[in-house]
Each structure stands twice: as C-alpha cells, then as structure tokens.
Amino acid sequence: MSVSTAAAARTVCAPLPVLGRDVTVPLVTGGEVTYAALDYAASAPALRRVWDDVAAYAPYYGSVHRGAGYLSQLSTDLFENARRTVTEFLDCRPDDQLVFTRSTTDSLNLLARALPAGCQVFVFETEHHASLLPWQDARVTYLNAPRTPRQAVETLERALADRDPHGPALVCVTGASNVTGELWPVRELAAAAHAHGARIVLDAAQLAPHHPVSVQELGVDWVAFSGHKLYAPFGAGVLAGRADWLVAADPYLAGGGASRKVTRREDGGVDVEWHESAARHEAGSPNVIGAYSIASACKALTEAGFDSLVAREEYLISKVRAGLAEVPQVKVLSLFGDDAPRVGVISFVVEGWNSSHFAAALSAEYGIGVRDGLFCAHPLVRTLLGSDPQTQGECGAPDAAPGEKSLNAIRVSFGAGTPDEHVERFVNAVRELVSEGARWQYRTEDGRCVPAV
C-alpha cells in the first residue's frame, strides 16, 4: 500500500463504532488499560449500530410466523425482511433459498444432511473444522494443503477428474483462512468444480466480515457464515444457495414450523407434509433477534463501503506484518507466501516461547486479547508448523508448561472496529516481550497458561 493510500485509509475510513472500545481491564503489573480486542476471527464485537437496532426492537419482540397479534406480525415481517436483506447482501440468485441457522458449523452440517445419496465430497485439509468435519457420512476425499492458489485449483481439478462422473459431488472451500488470513481462489475453484459436474459451498465465515461476497460473481452454489464474526454476536448464522438439494432432503430438525400439514393415520402413526421453503430447515421458534442483527450488520457494512473498509484493513495488516518482520524471532505462518492477499488474520510463533505463555503475557501485562492454540484447524496448523500429523493437540488448550515446546501458535485478528492504537500496542508488546521477557511468572492451570498469583 502506498503512503497516500495508507493516509486515506486512516483519515477517510475511521473504525466503525463497536461495543467494548472503552472497556478497561486490570494488568498484573498494576493499574488498568483499555482492552485491545484482537481476536476478531473468533468473535467480533457487536457493531454499535447492531446493538442499537436490537435494543430498539426488543420491546416489540414476539412469536414469529404463528401469531395473530400485532407484535407477532411485526416480528414476522422483521424476520422475513432480514432474510431479504441478507439475500441482497450476498447477491444471491433469484431462486436461491436462505436459511437462518445457528452458525457456520450449523449451516454446513445442515448441508451435509441434505447431500444426495452417493454424493462425493472434496475438501482441503486446510479447512476449519466447521467445514472439514461435517461430511463424515459421505464419501470424502481430503486434499493436501496447496502452496499456491494455482496449485489449489490444479489439485482440485486432478481430484475431480478421477471421480465417478455419474454421481453427485460437492466441493467445500474457505474464502479466507482462519489461520493465515490468506484469500483463496474461490472463483477459479468454483469454475473447476462446475467444469467437472460438481457443486461448491463457500465457507465465508472469515471472508464476509472483510470483503464483499457475491454468490453470483463467485459462481458458488452455497455460502455459509456466522453472525458472531460479522459483528452480530446473537447466535445466528446463514446458509444460502441452491434450493433443490435442500427441498429434496428431510428437514434438518423435525418440528413445528418445518411441517405444513400433519395427520394421523389409521394405523396410529402420523403423515407429515413438509414445507418446501426455507422454513423446511428452520423448525422451532426462530432466532429473530439473531437474524435481525445479521441484517443490521449487513446494512452497516454496505453503507460504510467495502472499498474503504478493505483499504483501511490493508493498512492495519501492513502495519502488523511490518512490525512482526522487525523481530527475527517471530515466524509468520503462511501457505501462499508474503505477497498473497489476505484479511486481518495473522498467525505466528515466537522462537523460545510457548505460544500459550506468550498470549497470556500479552493479556496480563498489556491488556491485549489474542488467540493461541490450533484454532480448530488442526491439520493446517500442523502442516504449517511441520509437525507429525498424528501429534495430539487440543483446540485452543495447549497442555505444555510455559517455556516447553508445544504444538500451538498465536493468532492476532482485527477488522472494521479496530483502532490504530490496538495494533500499535500489540506490535510494541511483541517487541518488548521478545527483547525483555515477561515481567510476571506464569503457571499452567487446566491446560491454560495463567499468571501465577
């Protein structure tokens, strides 16, 4: 990024207002400091706009779809308008369906339940567990980690060329890695999938908060993401895309809302006629606040403009990467290399440090919240660290004592609500910890490194 672009990113696009910006936390060394939330890849803070919209609606909350009262009708309209808003945000095709779920994990498990018989699934080992694991009941082909975007496409093309050409197939791929932040060649992978008669689902959990996601431009068949990563942490997610597999499948959950008609049979059983709309997979009382919050976040990001949001984030990325590059003991993890485009997610290890110890010191001594562990992407992190694939590890909970060698890394992540000061404090803290060491003693408790009291 040029100097002029960096300046524009700082001045034209200020951080979006988020909750928690003024929260102070105690330091083990004494005093308090404003908390630097740099774990956006796990859960982003709520946008102030989202919180205000939810608060304004809360007094009018009512049952959805099955109530005659005014508040029920208002809540139903709000829920269905949220569906339309998110559909527009994703630039879906006119006949696509959008199902509100609990999360990306829930969305992909729903799709896994809707796979046609005999469907073969292709997934790279680099995926988050949410998109790596739901396909256990299908015929799964796990693809090795590519080292360039072009290699990713070539690897998929070879695998698809060898598949049974007469059966259904699905490719599952991330849009942006939750470990390296690197952008994947989604459009090219979608083209390769379709050229071989396969469909493709995009895990956009890490992509949607940072870049526009167009189902039509990318050419994907489905997209899944979570509200809690899109500045709407109210327990909702989205699966949007082609309706045919979803309509042909039994409901993800059986119950009220999914059923259109239920009758008793003479033999004592029941016959059920299921909805063919998105309601088929939204049994039970829907999370109207969660759906509304996602729609609110979609509006806020659209109005802010992704061009300016991306420009400012690229400035923050360059600032963090330049700062880490000045510390020889720091190794940044990457599949595609330093020049690969990426979102605000950076993972690294520090020579001579257990990553849990380092992350604990950042929190306790500097008031900086990052993530350490394997980030629910065990095969990818092990590949990046060059470890034995059979090495045991626990997501986010390394059991090695401070100073001992353990299989884990540190992840810093940020986004539209991150102020410059947070990343500047982080870079300075890394320098100080590496050069001067921790100022406090730490111990292991329940698999976590914590300050010794």
Side-chain angles (χ1 to χ4, degrees):
M1 179 184 295
S2 67
V3 174
S4 60
T5 303
R10 292 195 301 273
T11 59
V12 175
C13 181
L16 296 186
V18 295
L19 298 184
R21 280 276 297 273
D22 299 323
V23 169
T24 59
V25 294
L27 301 180
V28 293
T29 51
E32 294 185 340
V33 68
T34 303
Y35 184 64
L38 296 178
D39 194 16
Y40 275 47
S43 283
L47 286 173
R48 170 60 66 179
R49 154 79 173 271
V50 170
W51 184 261
D52 290 345
D53 283 350
V54 168
Y57 161 66
Y60 301 94
Y61 174 81
S63 61
V64 176
H65 293 147
R66 295 180 292 280
Y70 178 82
L71 297 190
S72 177
Q73 294 296 309
L74 182 124
S75 294
T76 298
D77 287 345
L78 182 140
F79 184 73
E80 293 304 331
N81 283 333
R83 196 190 308 276
R84 284 188 283 273
T85 296
V86 181
T87 297
E88 293 173 1
F89 179 78
L90 295 173
D91 189 28
C92 292
R93 295 165 290 259
D95 55 351
D96 282 345
Q97 278 191 2
L98 187 144
V99 180
F100 283 115
T101 65
R102 294 179 298 172
S103 60
T104 308
T105 302
D106 196 36
S107 296
L108 294 172
N109 274 272
L110 188 166
L111 184 60
R113 285 279 299 274
L115 295 180
C119 187
Q120 188 171 2
V121 177
F122 297 84
V123 56
F124 286 93
E125 66 170 349
T126 47
E127 294 292 311
H128 185 281
H129 293 172
S131 48
L132 184 73
L133 302 180
W135 323 105
Q136 299 298 306
D137 293 334
R139 292 187 298 151
V140 188
T141 298
Y142 295 105
L143 307 175
N144 292 334
R147 287 297 181 170
T148 66
R150 181 65 242 170
Q151 190 179 85
V153 177
E154 293 171 349
T155 298
L156 179 62
E157 288 176 333
R158 285 195 299 270
L160 291 172
D162 291 338
R163 80 175 185 92
D164 178 359
H166 302 294
L170 177 71
V171 176
C172 181
V173 67
T174 189
S177 170
N178 78 304
V179 176
T180 67
E182 292 164 322
L183 298 177
W184 277 61
V186 177
R187 186 180 289 103
E188 292 80 1
L189 290 168
H194 294 154
H196 290 84
R199 296 189 180 189
I200 186 167
V201 57
L202 169 64
D203 174 355
Q206 300 297 338
L207 182 63
H210 305 274
H211 285 261
V213 174
S214 169
V215 167
Q216 297 193 68
E217 288 186 10
L218 292 174
V220 296
D221 297 281
W222 292 276
V223 60
F225 70 88
S226 296
H228 71 97
K229 299 186 192 298
L230 194 80
Y231 311 99
F234 292 92
V238 167
L239 176 67
R242 301 197 182 279
D244 53 350
W245 286 9
L246 300 178
V247 172
D250 288 337
Y252 184 46
L253 297 173
S259 55
R260 180 159 50 193
K261 181 180 179 181
V262 181
T263 57
R264 288 293 301 273
R265 296 196 305 263
E266 291 184 1
D267 63 5
V270 295
D271 287 322
V272 184
E273 182 180 329
W274 304 108
H275 280 293
E276 293 189 356
S277 64
R280 184 184 190 89
H281 297 291
E282 292 178 344
S285 295
N287 180 1
V288 59
I289 287 180
Y292 183 45
S293 68
I294 290 178
S296 174
C298 290
K299 289 180 180 178
L301 293 173
T302 300
E303 291 169 6
F306 270 106
D307 286 347
S308 58
L309 292 174
V310 169
R312 185 171 188 281
E313 185 171 311
E314 288 178 347
Y315 160 71
L316 295 179
I317 292 170
S318 64
K319 196 177 188 71
V320 172
R321 287 178 60 84
L324 294 179
E326 294 175 354
V327 184
Q329 294 86 346
V330 170
K331 175 188 176 183
V332 173
L333 305 183
S334 174
L335 271 176
F336 299 155
D338 290 342
D339 296 331
R342 65 194 73 229
V343 299
V345 178
I346 299 169
S347 296
F348 62 98
V349 291
V350 184
E351 182 182 346
W353 283 81
N354 166 268
S355 293
S356 181
H357 184 196
F358 200 88
L362 285 173
S363 175
E365 300 178 28
Y366 296 91
I368 299 170
V370 297
R371 180 62 58 105
D372 67 278
L374 301 177
F375 318 127
C376 291
H378 294 188
L380 172 56
V381 178
R382 289 178 175 133
T383 294
L384 295 172
L385 294 178
S387 70
D388 183 340
Q390 302 305 316
T391 302
Q392 294 298 310
E394 201 173 333
C395 186
D399 56 8
E404 294 180 357
K405 178 178 174 62
S406 65
L407 181 65
N408 59 347
I410 306 152
R411 184 181 70 191
V412 57
S413 53
F414 40 88
T418 304
D420 291 19
E421 188 275 330
H422 287 186
V423 298
E424 290 165 358
R425 192 195 319 171
F426 165 75
V427 170
N428 290 333
V430 171
R431 290 195 191 103
E432 286 188 10
L433 284 173
V434 171
S435 62
E436 302 175 15
R439 291 170 288 174
W440 204 261
Q441 294 297 313
Y442 295 82
R443 60 186 174 84
T444 301
E445 180 179 295
D446 297 329
R448 299 297 304 166
C449 190
V450 297
V453 179

